[in-house]
Amino acid sequence: MHRTKVKVVEGVLDANDTLARANRADFDRASVTVVNLMSAPGAGKTTLLERTVGDLDGVRVGVLEGDVQGSLDADRLSALHVPVTQINTDPGFGGECHLDANMVRSAMPALPLEEIDLLVIENVGNLVCPAEFRVGEDVRVMVSSVTEGEDKPLKYPLMFRACELVIVNKVDLLPHLDYDLDLFDYHLDAVHPGVPRMLVSARTGEGVEGWRDWLVEVARRRAPVSA
């Protein structure tokens, strides 16, 4: 029974990886860099994007917004006059707690790839499933809020191991919390040694400039693909 279950899971992930490669090929042809932004619910992904997407030094950015239901986050970002495409996992995808490659592929016709250089996929807030499903991204970024505690890298190691950058958000709250940043770094290095990390406050803007610079650098690594 256990072996059968593993085979089913492996089959699902293999099928997802095939679609993720197809998505990646389409993004490559359009010369669009894709960032998969992941976190627990309430870590501050949307607020961080509000601080980011309107000022990226000439890099044209779009957002693919993932939620189980509703468009609250997409509405907030649309007000910044950037192209935003909404995916809800509830109506057609069973209310999944993550985006997968098939969901992103279903949104592909609505993405203005010819008008953007950088696509940020704001994944559904969850600390488990998003890390398991590639969607065709170039890089993954994990946002961890100080309000979640220092132990999250140990409790959810795959999420922290799967990313190329960890953003520690809400650092403006540190004076009011019993949070040990050195202990968080120690736990993070235990599961992903040396992964780059940034300290930011999406609310106050502290550290956000470094995040903007990182996005610009990532977007400009890609050379246009010849037709």
Side-chain angles (χ1 to χ4, degrees), residues 1-116:
M1 181 66 69
H2 177 69
R3 291 176 60 188
T4 301
K5 182 177 180 181
V6 170
K7 288 180 180 179
V8 169
V9 171
E10 288 179 347
V12 169
L13 293 178
D14 287 346
N16 182 82
D17 287 346
T18 298
L19 286 175
R21 287 191 292 271
N23 292 345
R24 179 67 179 270
D26 287 345
F27 293 136
D28 285 346
R29 278 190 290 271
S31 297
V32 172
T33 300
V34 181
V35 174
N36 187 353
L37 190 63
M38 308 180 295
S39 79
K45 297 189 303 296
T46 306
T47 303
L48 186 61
L49 288 179
E50 285 180 307
R51 285 273 187 179
T52 305
V53 296
D55 182 19
L56 281 182
D57 194 22
V59 173
R60 302 171 301 167
V61 60
V63 178
L64 181 58
E65 182 65 46
D67 281 301
V68 176
Q69 286 187 334
S71 62
L72 294 175
D73 294 342
D75 293 342
R76 288 166 58 185
L77 296 172
S78 294
L80 301 175
H81 307 293
V82 298
V84 180
T85 302
Q86 176 76 56
I87 296 182
N88 287 127
T89 67
D90 188 34
F93 298 105
E96 297 289 354
C97 57
H98 62 275
L99 297 181
D100 63 24
N102 182 50
M103 298 176 199
V104 171
R105 191 142 197 87
S106 73
M108 200 75 76
L111 296 175
L113 297 182
E114 70 284 353
E115 300 173 10
I116 62 175

Side-chain angles (χ1 to χ4, degrees), residues 106-164:
S106 73
M108 200 75 76
L111 296 175
L113 297 182
E114 70 284 353
E115 300 173 10
I116 62 175
D117 308 303
L118 174 69
L119 177 67
V120 179
I121 298 176
E122 184 176 353
N123 217 313
V124 179
N126 188 285
L127 283 178
V128 180
C129 302
E132 297 177 338
F133 291 86
R134 288 283 181 181
V135 295
E137 69 272 49
D138 293 278
V139 293
R140 291 168 155 188
V141 176
M142 170 64 189
V143 180
S144 182
S145 165
V146 297
T147 56
E148 299 169 43
E150 313 96 333
D151 58 355
K152 291 303 176 289
L154 299 183
K155 289 185 174 181
Y156 304 95
L158 179 59
M159 179 64 79
F160 289 88
R161 194 178 294 127
C163 61
E164 284 76 31

